[in-house]
Amino acid sequence: MKVAVLGASGNAGSEIVRELARRGHDVYAIARKPDAIPDLPRVSRIAGDAHDPAALATLILGTDAVISALHFDVTADTLLTALRQAGVGRLLVTGGAASLEVAPGVRLIDSPDFPAEWRAFAMGGIAFLDALRSVEDIDWTFFSPAALFEAGERTGQYRLGTDTLLTDDAGVSRISFADYAIAMVDELEAHRHPRARFTAAY
């Protein structure tokens, strides 16, 4: 597949680029600082700013899917406008964990120990997911990571869920950027969650 990755120089984005290249996909890796994107075979490193939908549409033209690993200061409307202008019908989004439920009807962001300094960023992710849920003309998937989303080993192991935060036997919710990337590319290829949110953790 030809796949555009937005935010390709970041922690999650760079691992997604590596995983796509490892599996033989053609990658249009887009970031404001393309020199920070992994320099790999089948990866085209492209300078671009996703805040401008018309400019972004020209960069993603001809791709089969777009994977966003952007911060949520770029809105769902901006990305969807770019996809529509470019005629790209599939969007996969690196989401946030805050909207996952920790108990029936109780989201992670609603729990008393949710860090206050993360709240504004987390609300951006929640708004993004809410916007996607009414979209029918783009095949979207919102992939929420575990609560702890961090550098670590590439194990190739993970468990899948939908709307509930996954934890291990010790009550820890965690996944590495590398294993998240494996799960993201697995979703791209297997297409298990069209117009839906899912999550993964150890």
Side-chain angles (χ1 to χ4, degrees):
M1 279 187 230
K2 293 181 180 178
V3 184
V5 179
L6 312 180
S9 64
N11 290 323
S14 61
E15 290 293 345
I16 291 167
V17 168
R18 289 187 181 94
E19 189 63 29
L20 288 165
R22 185 179 282 116
R23 301 196 201 184
H25 295 285
D26 293 317
V27 187
Y28 293 37
I30 301 169
R32 284 178 289 186
K33 297 179 180 179
D35 289 347
I37 297 169
D39 186 9
L40 298 167
R42 308 186 76 95
V43 174
S44 299
R45 300 190 295 172
I46 301 167
D49 186 342
H51 289 85
D52 182 341
L56 180 59
T58 65
L59 299 180
I60 64 175
L61 189 68
T63 61
D64 299 302
V66 171
I67 298 177
S68 173
L70 296 166
H71 293 302
F72 294 117
D73 57 333
V74 178
T75 66
D77 183 62
T78 296
L79 291 192
L80 292 167
T81 297
L83 266 74
R84 289 168 179 140
Q85 289 180 4
V88 179
R90 191 158 179 220
L91 173 66
L92 297 92
V93 177
T94 301
S99 60
L100 292 167
E101 291 190 343
V102 294
V106 180
R107 302 171 301 177
L108 179 62
I109 196 172
D110 301 321
S111 58
D113 54 350
F114 189 85
E117 63 271 21
W118 295 357
R119 190 172 183 83
F121 176 80
M123 289 303 297
I126 290 170
F128 200 110
L129 175 57
D130 286 345
L132 288 179
R133 282 178 163 150
S134 65
V135 172
E136 297 182 355
D137 63 324
I138 299 290
D139 184 356
W140 59 269
T141 301
F142 189 93
F143 180 11
S144 291
L148 297 177
F149 188 27
E150 56 196 8
E153 186 181 359
R154 181 182 186 273
T155 70
Q157 303 296 314
Y158 62 85
R159 293 179 297 133
L160 290 178
T162 52
D163 293 312
T164 300
L165 186 75
L166 297 177
T167 59
D168 61 18
D169 291 342
V172 176
S173 176
R174 179 183 172 274
I175 195 165
S176 70
F177 295 123
D179 284 331
Y180 178 92
I182 292 173
M184 176 67 87
V185 182
D186 285 350
E187 175 62 29
L188 173 75
E189 295 173 345
H191 205 173
R192 295 186 184 96
H193 301 92
R195 294 191 181 88
R197 184 260 291 282
F198 77 104
T199 187
Y202 296 132

